[in-house]
Amino acid sequence: MSEARNRGWPHATGRCRLALACAWFGLGLTAGFSQVNLYVDPAGLDGTNDCRDAESPCATVGYALSQSSVNGDTLYLAAGVYTEAGLAIQSNITIRGAGAGLTILQAAATRAAATSRVLWVKSGVTAVVEDVTFRHGQTASGLPGVAAQGGAAENGAGLYVNGSAFLYRCLIYDNVTGVGGPGAAGFDGGRGGHGAGLYCDGLLALVDCVVSNNACGPGGAAGEGGRGGTGGEGAAVHVSGQALLDRSTFCGNQTGSGGTGANGGSAGSGVLWCSGQLTVRSSTISDNETGSGGAGELGLGGSGGLGAGLRTMLGAVAIVEYSTVADNRTGAGGTGLTNGAAGYGGGLYAATGTLSMTHSIVADNEVAAGGQGADIWGPWVSTGFMLVRDTNDWSVVGDVVTGQDPLLGALTQAGGLTPVRPIPFASPAVNAGDPGFIGPPLVDQRGVARVQGERIDLGAYELATTTLHVAVGGVD
């Protein structure tokens, strides 16, 4: 067996997937893609090494990136933990790990010790990343205001995407953005950082990924007489560009709470937050929370965060299809002489922008006491075959099944690469989809073929059927 295989170099695949992603975004591939292979192993050596020999790899990702001078190189990362802060990609590159549980990029040994994000994909650059974990990033907090409002914290603790990023089978977890800076006397606090897991104002595709346990920083405290800062938004993914989230799971993320002040600051909204173009396909959004409003020491408490699963902003165009949105919860309003309002839209908040959905389940989401729209708040468009359990505080154009319990199971690994919310045979979501469905998608979130029964099931999980054979003379 070769030394390269002993080191766990991943198999060189994925160009076809990149072509598909580029086609979705209308991009072209760089001529001469994958021109040079570079190898990295924690047991390797940097120095004068050019990283091009699989049997004599470099030791650090940062050094290997410095050796990549031609657009289209491929960087192979052996299994191991790479503790490197503030990595930046400045030319087109493919990065291939040995598996998300094996190849780990982290900004520090622990999240609390981090002082920088994990990875920045710069403007004009295309990065393809496969089978890697990104964790323990933390962006800088906002600076204190000097006769001014507190400064805003930095965005994008796990990944910051100005260019184009295509991620396959990756894990983005345990990242946190900074706290808003405190305001000077009479001034407001600064806002917390956005996009704790991933911040994108460019182009993004996530396929077979998990984004979990990321947290946005709270808003900064106000100076005397000011308002607390707004908490950070988009704890899992913050999109102001274009994004496709496919066969992925977003769970356990939390937006920032509002800062304290004479009037409390509002909490951050939307674990998925969109002001651009977003498609969520064959994915699960579960067990996320928005922050609570900040305390108003002399007046009004801040409002709780809106849209724990997804919030669409003015100008947004968002599509949710073949997905499950469940068990997300909005935060409480802050205390004050008058308490702030609880967050609306436990699953989705769609008062602004355009939201359309099809073949999806939205159920069992919650709002804090006094909030409205447990599953959805605001108008949206159904292109057919939807199940929304809660019937209050939303309006829709199109057909929707309402008031029924989809009987969702707990979030679990059920045979695929990412955890899902299974449905049993008794669920009203089974065989409830379009009878004329022919795809795409051809598979559910786990990769199980659609269709298994008479019709496609609703949500991210397709119930696999079993054929039983009974005959006279058979054996029980």
Side-chain angles (χ1 to χ4, degrees), residues 368-451:
Q372 297 181 21
D375 281 333
I376 306 175
W377 198 90
W380 57 284
V381 176
S382 170
T383 53
F385 309 101
M386 286 290 303
L387 191 159
V388 181
R389 185 175 185 181
D390 182 74
T391 60
N392 298 312
D393 305 313
W394 51 267
S395 60
V396 65
V397 176
D399 296 328
V400 183
V401 174
T402 61
Q404 296 192 34
D405 183 355
L407 304 176
L408 293 168
L411 191 67
T412 186
Q413 204 76 30
L417 296 174
T418 54
V420 294
R421 300 291 302 269
I423 53 174
F425 184 75
S427 171
V430 173
N431 293 328
D434 183 357
F437 174 85
I438 58 173
L442 299 178
V443 296
D444 74 354
Q445 182 173 338
R446 301 165 298 152
V448 172
R450 306 269 199 181
V451 177

Side-chain angles (χ1 to χ4, degrees), residues 177-195:
T177 54
V179 179
F187 289 91
D188 299 344
R191 65 159 178 81
H194 300 327

